[in-house]
Amino acid sequence: MSGATIDTLRFATAGSVDDGKSTLVGRLLHDSKSILTDQLEAVAHASRNRGQDTPDLALLTDGLRAEREQGITIDVAYRYFATPKRRFILADTPGHVQYTRNMVTGASTAELAIVLIDARNGVVEQTRRHAAVAALLRVPHVVLAVNKMDLVGYEEKDFQRIVEDFAGHAAELGLPGFTPIPVSALVGDNVVERSARMDWYRGPSLLDFLENVPVGTQKVDAPARFPVQYVIRHGELRSYAGQLVSGSLRVGDRVTVHPSGASSEITGIDLLGTESEVAFAPQSIAVRLADQRDISRGDMLTTGVEVPALTQEVRAAVCHLADRPLRVGDRVLVRHTTRTVKAIVKDLGGASELRANDLGRIGLRTAEPLALDDYAVSRRTGAFIVIDPADGATLTAGMVEL
């Protein structure tokens, strides 16, 4: 297959401590032949030093010495690999409750999340928390990987019990659906190859599902959203550069500038230094308009009647990322696409404060209006971050609820 025709899937993994997530990722890399010989030899050597007879595939992902010594994953580790069918960007996220914010980071751009469960323990508190994050971030596809099936005798009833339990929580969270797959990462059942030990399971292996799940679901006819990142001046002429995050733009389209409400017509589109009649998300482009409008970084160009909500009252679901708590009355900055405005925290959904890794809801009053979409409609223009104005640290990740 030509490299030009291979697409890319970004996916994240999450699971409780000792569910075997690092082993699953290591098995996926090993059995898909996505690791180098010297890497495997290094893992085999490290495993022997720890008194293990066979290579510990978890070491392929737990790269930090502190993680190896403790047997845990404490940071988001990005892995890149490919099969003849597809390229993959894997965000391997930690399982501890105190690292929920790391999962938010890893899953925020993912099109698929793998939630791992130990078949012996079933759905636990961290499983529900990871499912909540997947629902909160509107990850398009979720895989429920029920691991360590070898330790429950590959029994279908244990698998089905866990699937039914998880389905109840998924419905409560508003998770639209999930794909359950029984696996044993340790011995490789249903990870890359289908397992003969679970003939009652008729679905795909994990890799088969990853290779064939639809990606790039961005619709061409979605409303155009073009946040301006730079204003480029050519003498008296101006063009506006940035990334088209949704929909398409064509020469001749009428556009509205937010927040001013001014309108104009596109007279030119520059794509990688070449004139183009049309641009599609997520291309980076420069746009020229018929009128010399007062447009600056942070403004947004849109087309059509499906315009974003222009508001100074922001309500959102959030995950608090910083060690510093967030409290009602705090003065903060809100960064939405390329626009940054001052704001004040009006309420925290009844909570007195938000601490690191808390999931909650927030109400903000911004000093200037923002052009917002509901996060359920657009993950790019429905997301924002809250910033500490004193030192520029990121405090909170927000998902707009309109």
Side-chain angles (χ1 to χ4, degrees):
M1 183 180 291
S2 167
T5 64
I6 298 178
D7 56 24
T8 300
L9 172 69
R10 300 179 68 101
F11 70 101
T13 59
S16 290
V17 179
D18 297 328
D19 278 354
K21 182 170 56 60
S22 293
T23 302
L24 177 70
V25 173
R27 174 63 66 183
L28 190 62
L29 295 174
H30 177 271
D31 288 9
S32 63
K33 298 178 173 58
S34 299
I35 56 174
L36 302 175
T37 302
D38 59 345
Q39 289 178 297
L40 189 57
E41 289 174 352
V43 165
H45 178 72
S47 300
R48 285 193 298 271
N49 288 343
R50 295 168 63 169
Q52 296 169 291
D53 296 329
T54 57
D56 182 354
L57 297 179
L59 298 183
L60 288 169
T61 54
D62 290 345
L64 298 178
R65 181 179 298 274
E67 295 179 17
R68 290 187 178 186
E69 291 175 350
Q70 298 178 57
I72 62 172
T73 305
I74 59 175
D75 203 357
V76 180
Y78 290 92
R79 310 290 167 185
Y80 304 85
F81 69 102
T83 68
K85 290 186 176 181
R86 179 169 280 174
R87 288 185 294 262
F88 300 94
I89 302 174
L90 186 164
D92 184 24
T93 67
H96 292 64
V97 64
Q98 64 264 40
Y99 299 116
T100 300
R101 55 188 173 185
N102 301 66
M103 184 193 170
V104 169
T105 300
S108 61
T109 58
E111 294 177 271
L112 181 146
I114 299 174
V115 177
L116 200 69
I117 288 182
D118 187 325
R120 299 169 300 175
N121 301 330
V123 176
V124 296
E125 181 57 36
Q126 268 302 84
T127 309
R128 291 188 283 271
R129 194 171 185 84
H130 292 147
V133 171
L136 188 70
L137 294 173
R138 305 281 177 168
V139 180
H141 306 281
V142 173
V143 172
L144 180 70
V146 181
N147 190 29
K148 304 188 181 182
M149 288 298 297
D150 54 310
L151 299 183
V152 295
Y154 299 104
E155 289 288 340
E156 181 180 10
K157 60 179 175 56
D158 293 294
F159 175 69
Q160 291 298 342
R161 173 179 49 80
I162 291 170
V163 171
E164 290 171 9
D165 190 5
F166 185 83
H169 295 292
E172 292 175 6
L173 294 167
L175 203 63
F178 63 94
T179 300
I181 302 177
V183 302
S184 171
L186 186 64
V187 294
D189 293 298
N190 285 338
V191 179
V192 171
E193 302 293 338
R194 286 283 305 277
S195 172
R197 300 182 181 93
M198 290 178 278
D199 54 4
W200 46 264
Y201 172 69
R202 304 296 183 184
S205 70
L206 177 60
L207 181 62
D208 187 39
F209 184 80
L210 295 177
E211 286 183 325
N212 292 286
V213 67
V215 299
T217 54
Q218 169 78 257
K219 295 181 179 179
V220 173
D221 60 353
R225 300 288 187 263
F226 180 61
V228 175
Q229 189 169 4
Y230 299 107
V231 178
I232 304 172
R233 292 174 173 80
H234 308 275
E236 295 298 314
L237 300 178
R238 294 182 182 181
S239 57
Y240 309 99
Q243 183 185 42
L244 180 59
V245 299
S246 174
S248 62
L249 290 175
R250 296 176 182 274
V251 173
D253 279 352
R254 295 292 300 181
V255 295
T256 301
V257 182
H258 303 276
S260 70
S263 64
S264 187
E265 180 180 312
I266 296 177
T267 57
I269 297 174
D270 185 21
L271 177 62
L272 297 176
T274 303
E275 289 287 325
S276 178
E277 287 294 309
V278 62
F280 302 97
Q283 291 177 326
S284 293
I285 59 176
V287 170
R288 295 187 302 279
L289 301 179
D291 310 296
Q292 297 301 306
R293 298 292 185 182
D294 183 16
I295 299 173
S296 58
R297 175 185 171 86
D299 289 348
M300 185 185 295
L301 307 186
T302 69
T303 60
V305 295
E306 295 182 59
V307 297
L310 198 63
T311 181
Q312 291 177 257
E313 301 293 335
V314 181
R315 303 207 64 81
V318 296
C319 176
H320 192 59
L321 308 176
D323 292 325
R324 190 205 106 180
L326 189 71
R327 299 185 175 94
V328 173
D330 282 354
R331 296 188 179 276
V332 296
L333 297 175
V334 173
R335 180 172 297 160
H336 172 255
T337 63
T338 58
R339 188 173 183 81
T340 302
V341 299
K342 295 178 180 179
I344 186 170
V345 179
K346 301 295 288 185
D347 72 80
L348 293 172
S352 59
E353 64 180 19
L354 291 179
R355 293 183 172 273
N357 301 295
D358 281 350
L359 303 177
R361 281 182 163 71
I362 194 173
L364 296 163
R365 170 76 179 179
T366 60
E368 302 170 48
L370 295 173
L372 303 174
D373 287 300
D374 193 297
Y375 187 83
V377 176
S378 172
R379 295 174 81 189
R380 289 294 301 273
T381 52
F384 64 88
I385 57 173
V386 177
I387 298 170
D388 187 335
D391 58 10
T394 300
L395 300 175
T396 306
M399 284 64 71
V400 175
E401 297 179 330
L402 293 178

